[in-house]
Amino acid sequence: MIKIFVTGDNHFGKKYGRYPEIKDKLIQSRFDVLEDMVQKAEMEGCELFVITGDLFDNIKTIKVSDVKHVAGILAGFTGNVIVLPGNHDYFTGDETVWKDFENAISSTEHNITLIKEYRKYEFDTAEEKIAVYPAFCRSKHSKENNLGWIKSEEIHRDGAINIGIAHGALRGITPDLKEEYFLMTEMELSAIPVDVWLIGHTHIPYPDTLEENSDAKGYKIFNAGTHEQTDLSNNTEGNCFILTIRKQGESAEVLARKYVSGKIRFYDLDISVKPDRENSLSNAIKEAVKDKDMNSVLRLNLSGSLKQEEYRDRSSIYRELLGGFLTYEINDSDLSEEITIEKIHEEFAETSFAAQFMEELIDNPTELQMAYQLLQECRES
């Protein structure tokens, strides 16, 4: 039996230029989570700590101090660490980041293996022999995946636990409309006689049904996703997987559960409001964020309309209700002030065509808003 801790798409070196006021906190959190992951893997008794690609965000501009920091954390794991280059940190031999990484680990005791060749890598644990078949990236984009050499390899089903590790998109799971990210299919992977596949590239976990406190059976292909959310478009908690593999002869049983590793969350929230109460906006925002940890980044996309006072006071409402979060963004271009008879008469002569036309629409807020905007544009032009 072996236990494997699986992570990937860690993207150390990510700049977070969108959030200058908190970028240092976001960067540090990724390191803190990696330390927690190594501790968790030790506590679980994992023999392998596998990184399925994109440990680093790019190949050229990662600070040497950051590379050393990552290497130092990984070197603290007492089992074997396997690092697969992904499409962001691909390996050909000339990449600055990997030269810095190898320099960093050469100065310390470690069990880190950086995958650099398309060949079988063998590892021994106290109980098992392990054979690893890697499909790493040698470029950022490719119409073809790197499984070819493994398909032609003679893989003995017994005698070792066979592990495939690959970086690339999964058809039907990863958005890859141009098919330029080493696209693989589940059928293609399943046809290769390894006991388990560990995949990187997709930032959300697959399968997405795993639980923290119970093991699941029946899966062979695992993509852990990123260990900490990277941005607003990445809708995940920040996850890793813990796998237990038991093998008898040619048959392997794989048990899997997730570990929620992320510390900082990003939420992209759509909120629609109606001017049915004086505090509609406040109530809607409170409801939307009531279960959100304050250690979060928020973007609120607001639509609908509000009574005049609340609409004009909305900036102070945002500050009051959201100021305790790490940071927040507001997109309220689709939010408007309620159009009332009084507002119409304030801006248009009561006997004008425009005023009378809008009064006819007073019971249809959507059409009234469209008419108001159109008439305002006509008046301004």
Side-chain angles (χ1 to χ4, degrees):
M1 181 190 84
I2 63 165
K3 294 187 79 172
I4 309 172
F5 193 95
V6 187
T7 182
D9 297 283
N10 313 99
H11 288 277
F12 288 102
K14 186 173 174 62
K15 304 298 185 186
Y16 289 107
R18 182 172 181 169
Y19 306 105
E21 71 282 7
I22 60 166
K23 70 174 185 178
D24 290 343
K25 181 183 285 285
L26 295 173
I27 290 168
Q28 182 59 44
S29 184
R30 300 192 81 80
F31 290 111
D32 293 343
V33 174
L34 182 62
E35 290 183 350
D36 289 350
M37 289 155 55
V38 169
Q39 292 176 10
K40 178 68 173 178
E42 293 282 6
M43 185 177 69
E44 293 285 338
C46 295
E47 289 94 346
L48 293 183
F49 191 101
V50 177
I51 296 163
T52 59
D54 288 354
L55 175 62
F56 297 105
D57 195 54
N58 63 73
I59 58 170
K60 292 182 179 179
T61 66
I62 311 302
K63 293 190 294 186
V64 174
S65 59
D66 286 349
V67 175
K68 288 182 177 179
H69 195 174
V70 170
I73 295 170
L74 294 177
F77 183 65
T78 55
N80 286 292
V81 177
I82 300 174
V83 180
L84 188 86
N87 71 303
H88 275 259
D89 57 4
Y90 59 84
F91 180 89
T92 66
D94 295 325
E95 291 73 31
T96 302
V97 69
W98 292 125
K99 291 177 181 178
D100 292 340
F101 184 77
E102 291 194 293
N103 285 337
I105 62 177
S106 67
S107 62
T108 185
E109 290 188 15
H110 68 89
N111 291 321
I112 301 172
T113 299
L114 172 61
I115 300 294
K116 299 190 287 186
E117 300 176 73
Y118 295 126
R119 65 171 177 84
K120 178 173 71 173
Y121 287 75
E122 296 180 293
F123 302 88
D124 288 321
T125 68
E127 297 182 16
E128 301 284 356
K129 291 185 177 297
I130 300 164
V132 170
Y133 298 85
F136 65 94
C137 297
R138 306 192 79 164
S139 60
K140 188 166 186 178
H141 303 98
S142 176
K143 293 285 187 181
E144 296 182 1
N145 61 49
N146 295 307
L147 300 173
W149 82 270
I150 306 176
K151 293 177 182 178
S152 61
E153 186 81 357
E154 183 179 2
I155 299 176
H156 299 286
R157 291 181 181 271
D158 59 353
I161 293 177
N162 298 309
I163 301 171
I165 310 176
H167 193 89
L170 285 171
R171 187 181 294 279
I173 298 166
T174 314
D176 187 10
L177 298 178
K178 295 182 180 179
E179 298 189 357
E180 60 183 3
Y181 289 105
F182 308 89
L183 188 64
M184 301 171 281
T185 68
E186 291 189 74
M187 183 178 296
E188 182 180 23
L189 291 167
S190 297
I192 299 173
V194 296
D195 298 311
V196 68
W197 275 107
L198 311 179
I199 308 296
H201 182 67
T202 308
H203 285 199
I204 58 174
Y206 175 80
D208 61 0
T209 54
L210 299 186
E211 300 178 356
E212 278 200 276
N213 299 315
S214 62
D215 289 319
K217 299 180 182 179
Y219 299 103
K220 179 179 178 178
I221 300 169
F222 298 91
N223 183 104
T226 184
H227 72 302
E228 172 113 301
Q229 263 183 287
T230 51
D231 51 47
L232 289 162
S233 64
N234 175 215
N235 186 22
T236 175
E237 300 166 299
N239 291 294
C240 309
F241 289 162
I242 298 172
L243 309 184
T244 302
I245 304 177
R246 298 187 178 95
K247 192 158 187 182
Q248 291 272 346
E250 295 185 358
S251 177
E253 178 188 58
V254 181
L255 305 177
R257 55 191 163 93
K258 73 175 180 179
Y259 166 58
V260 178
S261 53
K263 293 179 179 293
I264 294 177
R265 293 297 309 273
F266 289 72
Y267 294 102
D268 196 11
L269 306 174
D270 296 324
I271 302 175
S272 179
V273 293
K274 296 180 180 179
D276 51 359
R277 285 182 288 180
E278 297 296 331
N279 53 354
S280 295
L281 180 62
S282 296
N283 289 341
I285 292 176
K286 288 176 183 177
E287 179 65 22
V289 304
K290 67 179 182 182
D291 59 345
K292 305 296 184 285
D293 191 283
M294 301 303 281
N295 200 38
S296 301
V297 175
L298 304 179
R299 179 169 65 191
L300 272 54
N301 307 295
L302 296 157
S303 62
S305 58
L306 298 170
K307 292 188 179 299
Q308 182 185 81
E309 183 177 351
E310 195 173 30
Y311 180 76
R312 296 180 179 179
D313 198 33
R314 64 192 187 282
S315 293
S316 62
I317 293 172
Y318 302 151
R319 289 193 296 270
E320 178 184 351
L321 298 181
L322 304 174
F325 290 92
L326 286 181
T327 190
Y328 65 90
E329 297 178 33
I330 299 295
N331 175 13
D332 60 4
S333 58
D334 291 328
L335 188 65
S336 60
E337 182 182 335
E338 180 188 20
I339 310 301
T340 62
I341 293 291
E342 292 75 20
K343 182 175 177 61
I344 293 171
H345 291 168
E346 281 179 13
E347 300 188 29
F348 299 89
E350 291 186 34
T351 57
S352 68
F353 167 78
Q356 293 178 21
F357 177 63
M358 285 188 286
E359 287 176 26
E360 291 292 325
L361 299 174
I362 201 69
D363 293 326
N364 192 326
T366 301
E367 292 187 9
L368 176 59
Q369 184 63 42
M370 292 173 61
Y372 175 80
Q373 291 176 343
L374 181 60
L375 289 166
Q376 286 281 44
E377 289 171 7
C378 291
R379 188 161 65 174
E380 291 171 3
S381 62

